[in-house]
Amino acid sequence: ERVPLERLDIVGLSARYDSDAGVDDVTVSISKGELVVVTGPVGSGKSTLLRAVLGLAWQAEVTGETRWNGVRLDDPAGFLVPPNAAFLPQVPQLISDSLADNIGFGSADASDVDRAIALAAMEADVAMMPSGIETLIGPRGLRLSGGQRQRLAGARAVVHQPELVVLDDLSSALDVETELQFWNNLAEAGMTVLAVSHRAVAFERADRVVRLEDGRVAAITES
């Protein structure tokens, strides 16, 4: 069941693995329609933070809270799924099927797929493909460029218009112009986004940038 998001609060969230990698005492809030970007050096805990928020850091010791509209999520992994939230990891899993099936998995109609493609800044690419959204992408999307694979995964994330979109460095293979269009499209659609990125264009578009160092918040910059 969809629960419209007004505010997501990450409160004192910590997630530590046996190796001692992870994050400590992270507190940040995201309001409806905002883009919050998490950045920092390799190994600073960015991906761990996203997974802890979503309840997916299964092998870590997790403390703290994730709150949805002020209400603590006792089972974030069960709640933060479509249509409430959509998550795309660093390496999206694509199937050897059509663009449409990779985006909607048979649960979205053609208009939803077309809208998702537009949001993911992939309309021009699809228009040049011989069979449009029915074009077969090959095993693991090998017939697509790296940027097309990332945008295809982005379209999958937004196809059901989730209340929260969580992206782990999804834009790393995009050129600056395409990435700017992608962020602008999500903003114009009113999407609420929590994303890991190292790109200046994401920082400039973000409402808030959270920098992690050694698993802790080093700075939070407001735009």
Side-chain angles (χ1 to χ4, degrees), residues 4-9 28-32 34 67-71 192 208:
L5 174 64
E6 295 300 328
R7 182 182 177 93
L8 181 82
D9 294 298
V28 65
S29 295
I30 308 169
S31 295
K32 179 179 176 63
E34 286 189 333
R67 300 174 185 166
W68 189 273
N69 299 337
V71 178
T192 306
R208 199 168 302 107

Side-chain angles (χ1 to χ4, degrees), residues 27-29 34-39 200 202-213 217-223:
T27 296
V28 65
S29 295
E34 286 189 333
L35 165 61
V36 172
V37 172
V38 179
T39 192
F203 303 158
E204 293 166 3
R205 194 65 187 80
D207 295 281
R208 199 168 302 107
V209 177
V210 180
R211 180 172 181 81
L212 298 182
E213 292 182 5
V217 175
I220 298 180
T221 305
E222 303 276 349
S223 64

Side-chain angles (χ1 to χ4, degrees), residues 53 57 108 126 133 145 159 178 198 206 210:
V53 168
V126 175
I133 63 172
S145 68
V159 69
T178 302
H198 303 279
V210 180

Side-chain angles (χ1 to χ4, degrees), residues 35 114-125 151 158 171 174-189 191 199 201-202 204-205:
L35 165 61
D114 288 341
R115 179 180 180 277
I117 287 171
L119 284 173
M122 203 174 177
E123 283 181 303
D125 302 77
R151 281 177 287 150
V158 300
S171 63
L174 306 184
D175 62 74
V176 172
E177 182 178 347
T178 302
E179 181 175 356
L180 180 58
Q181 183 183 353
F182 176 70
W183 295 127
N184 286 341
N185 288 350
L186 295 186
E188 290 172 4
M191 294 280 182
R199 306 282 293 273
V201 65
E204 293 166 3
R205 194 65 187 80

Side-chain angles (χ1 to χ4, degrees), residues 102-115:
N102 271 276
I103 293 170
F105 288 114
S107 63
D109 60 32
S111 63
D112 290 331
V113 172
D114 288 341
R115 179 180 180 277

Side-chain angles (χ1 to χ4, degrees), residues 43-74:
S44 60
K46 302 179 297 296
S47 295
T48 296
L49 175 60
L50 297 192
R51 290 185 172 276
V53 168
L54 295 165
L56 302 179
W58 294 306
Q59 296 179 337
E61 181 180 351
V62 179
T63 58
E65 298 181 359
T66 300
R67 300 174 185 166
W68 189 273
N69 299 337
V71 178
R72 173 179 174 151
L73 298 180
D74 292 325

Side-chain angles (χ1 to χ4, degrees), residues 71-96:
V71 178
R72 173 179 174 151
L73 298 180
D74 292 325
D75 179 20
F79 181 86
L80 295 174
V81 295
N84 290 326
F87 171 56
L88 281 176
Q90 287 181 348
V91 183
Q93 298 299 311
L94 302 178
I95 59 174
S96 183

